[in-house]
Amino acid sequence: MLVASVASHAQDSVEWTTLGNDFAHTRYSPAQQISADNFDQLEVAWTWDSSSFQAQSGRSTPSYINGRMYTVAGARRHVIAIDPKTGETIWSYREPNTERWQYSMRADYGKGVGYGVVDGKDIIYIISPAFFLTALDGETGAPLEGFGTPVPIEGFPDTGVVDMLADLGHPYDPYEGLPLERGYITSSSPPIVVNGVVVVGNSAEQGYNQSRIENVPGDILGYDAKTGAFLWKFNVIPQPGEYGHETWENDAWQYTGDISSWAPISADLDLGLVYIPTNGVTIDYYGGHHPGDNLYGTSLIALNARTGERAWHYQLVHHDIWNFDTPTAPILLDVMTEQGLTPIVAQPTKQGLVYTFNRETGQPIWPIEELPVPASIVPGEKLSQTQPFPTKPAPFDMQGLSEDTLVDFTPEIRAQAIAAVARFQLGPVFNPPLHRDNPLFKISAMICPSGAVNITHPSSG
């Protein structure tokens, strides 16, 4: 039984230094200047216009650090420092042009910046759509001296940049990037700086837009925050001899990929662990070319931030073909249970389920049951016979769709609802997708829920 909770590593100041405010990603601030008593008196003090940076999506959450705001804007992912009192732009940085960023499907989806301190200076870290890691002086916007190595592309600074494609281990061209027939890797979430290590996630093309089964894995990378030196790489598709390699049948590990961590990352500074949420393997809705449970697809992974070694993991969806990619950062809390104060990590999912673990050991706080789920009738598809369901907390969204769950305000409205779904296959939360000209004579299968949480409504602690 939970009787009280407090945020893990929440800052005491009103600063907002990570995408989720604190390393625990609680999205909570103790600021008290605005309250229910004065909210109706608020007026617009200034407006910062991002149109000159061609910004459209507006997905970035600004950081507030030592009296300045930092954000990203536009498809080029300009890094911007803003005076919060006046709205004045203090400085901006734009990465030089490459073919790599022009192809990125996540170009204007930048969610924010990373932050660290090097030799007493505030440093802003950014992952670009082209998959470069750049470190900038928070005061001046100048690239950090001694960080990274020169990039052999005209216009790049002599220092301050790391070309992370070089550390993934695939053939590539510095300007063009990876051969598109092999795959593509980019980023939308910022890095997180944990005890002097910059931990880097990534993203790929949207799984429902991909036209090939080949791709590169979204391996997690670690770099020294001061020098940019490459420290480690964690293989999200286990290689021969690594834990979980047997979950990839038919040698699919050799050619397919994704399993990126496009959602934000959380961290426990005391434990030195980072918590990585992942999505599924290429491609969405069909996985006949990669049979098996496919670790570490759609999982929560705890890694040692200094070494990149796996501390523990839990796969939230086996052989994910539902686009149930984990879309939001895990939340870290210290909760009072019957066993005393317990460090937990809670991961909300698109399925409307919350998976909760002891964040040090990976043990579930409440039992998680492997329950039978329907089989697929798609030729060549082989789904897992079971999926994990937490016994607590209760789902926060519908779990599947049937005629009994349709709207019934009036008999007429209910009849319209039944008619509207008559050509679709209804079923539970893990309702298998259908193929064209299927023997059920249905247009497709309805998956409900398909986004109980997502980018636009992240969870908070």
Side-chain angles (χ1 to χ4, degrees):
M1 178 179 66
L2 301 184
V3 297
S5 68
V6 294
S8 168
H9 299 299
Q11 288 95 346
D12 294 329
S13 71
V14 296
E15 299 204 340
W16 194 281
T17 57
T18 73
L19 185 59
N21 178 38
D22 45 39
F23 289 96
H25 214 277
T26 61
R27 304 183 67 84
Y28 167 79
S29 171
Q32 299 177 344
Q33 191 172 2
I34 299 174
S35 67
D37 296 331
N38 63 18
F39 186 80
D40 60 352
Q41 303 170 27
L42 293 179
E43 297 179 355
V44 176
W46 51 262
T47 300
W48 185 82
D49 190 350
S50 61
S51 60
S52 61
F53 299 97
Q54 290 82 50
Q56 297 178 11
S57 74
R59 294 192 179 187
S60 177
T61 297
S63 294
Y64 178 70
I65 302 165
N66 290 333
R68 290 185 176 183
M69 291 178 62
Y70 300 94
T71 190
V72 295
R76 296 291 289 274
R77 208 165 296 174
H78 298 76
V79 188
I80 317 291
I82 302 171
D83 186 330
K85 294 182 179 179
T86 65
E88 176 186 1
T89 298
I90 301 172
W91 57 258
S92 66
Y93 172 86
R94 183 178 75 176
E95 182 177 283
N97 178 58
T98 59
E99 184 69 25
R100 289 159 59 168
W101 86 261
Q102 294 183 35
Y103 181 78
S104 172
M105 293 184 180
R106 313 279 184 172
D108 194 36
Y109 289 2
K111 297 184 180 71
V113 302
Y115 165 71
V117 177
V118 173
D119 295 334
K121 293 184 178 181
D122 291 335
I123 305 299
I124 303 300
Y125 297 89
I126 177 68
I127 311 173
S128 72
F131 210 56
F132 291 97
L133 173 65
T134 299
L136 304 171
D137 186 300
E139 182 176 354
T140 66
L144 178 62
E145 289 289 338
F147 185 90
T149 55
V151 175
I153 300 175
E154 183 179 355
F156 271 81
D158 294 333
T159 187
V161 184
V162 171
D163 185 347
M164 296 186 292
L165 283 187
D167 301 313
L168 289 177
H170 310 287
Y172 78 102
D173 178 85
Y175 184 83
E176 301 286 340
L178 294 166
L180 294 184
E181 63 272 13
R182 180 66 181 93
Y184 187 80
I185 196 163
T186 181
S187 180
S188 57
S189 292
I192 189 169
V193 184
V194 184
N195 299 335
V197 177
V198 183
V199 181
V200 173
N202 50 71
S203 58
E205 298 153 302
Q206 289 89 338
Y208 41 82
N209 283 339
Q210 292 171 3
S211 59
R212 58 174 179 269
I213 62 175
E214 298 82 12
N215 209 341
V216 294
D219 296 331
I220 312 303
L221 305 174
Y223 295 89
D224 185 273
K226 181 176 181 178
T227 67
F230 175 56
L231 299 178
W232 53 261
K233 177 169 76 81
F234 178 80
N235 295 320
V236 295
I237 295 182
Q239 303 299 291
E242 293 182 337
Y243 181 92
H245 178 69
E246 71 283 355
T247 65
W248 292 84
E249 301 173 14
N250 292 3
D251 291 331
W253 62 274
Q254 292 184 351
Y255 60 82
T256 198
D258 203 342
I259 309 190
S260 59
S261 56
W262 64 266
I265 297 170
S266 304
D268 185 316
L269 300 187
D270 294 336
L271 294 175
L273 296 178
V274 290
Y275 301 91
I276 315 287
T278 65
N279 65 324
V281 63
T282 307
I283 57 178
D284 291 343
Y285 307 120
Y286 179 73
H289 57 283
H290 55 80
D293 281 354
N294 307 142
L295 281 182
Y296 294 91
T298 314
S299 300
L300 180 62
I301 315 168
L303 301 181
N304 183 302
R306 173 53 58 181
T307 65
E309 295 178 338
R310 177 180 59 91
W312 58 265
H313 80 280
Y314 196 91
Q315 188 171 48
L316 310 175
V317 181
H318 311 314
H319 190 81
D320 184 3
I321 48 87
W322 294 271
N323 191 31
F324 280 158
D325 48 329
T326 317
T328 187
I331 296 173
L332 280 53
L333 298 170
D334 295 329
V335 300
M336 188 63 69
T337 69
E338 294 173 349
Q339 288 74 40
L341 194 63
T342 304
I344 72 167
V345 53
Q347 180 64 69
T349 68
K350 284 184 175 180
Q351 304 94 279
L353 303 171
V354 179
Y355 295 81
T356 311
F357 309 93
N358 181 305
R359 66 175 181 267
E360 181 175 8
T361 66
Q363 288 295 115
I365 297 298
W366 297 286
I368 299 176
E369 299 176 336
E370 288 283 341
L371 300 179
V373 293
S376 175
I377 65 171
V378 175
E381 184 66 272
K382 183 182 178 182
L383 301 181
S384 173
Q385 296 181 357
T386 63
Q387 293 290 349
F389 289 83
T391 55
K392 292 182 180 180
F396 58 90
D397 204 343
M398 296 174 61
Q399 293 293 286
L401 196 64
S402 68
E403 285 194 6
D404 293 337
T405 60
L406 298 179
V407 63
D408 61 352
F409 296 145
T410 67
E412 293 79 9
I413 291 176
R414 178 169 178 77
Q416 292 176 13
I418 292 174
V421 300
R423 298 188 65 191
F424 296 89
Q425 178 70 9
L426 308 185
V429 61
F430 288 100
N431 197 19
L434 294 177
H435 59 290
R436 184 182 299 173
D437 302 323
N438 61 80
L440 300 177
F441 301 104
K442 300 291 186 178
I443 295 176
S444 67
M446 280 195 148
I447 300 173
C448 177
S450 61
V453 296
N454 213 325
I455 318 165
T456 52
H457 40 87
S459 50
S460 59

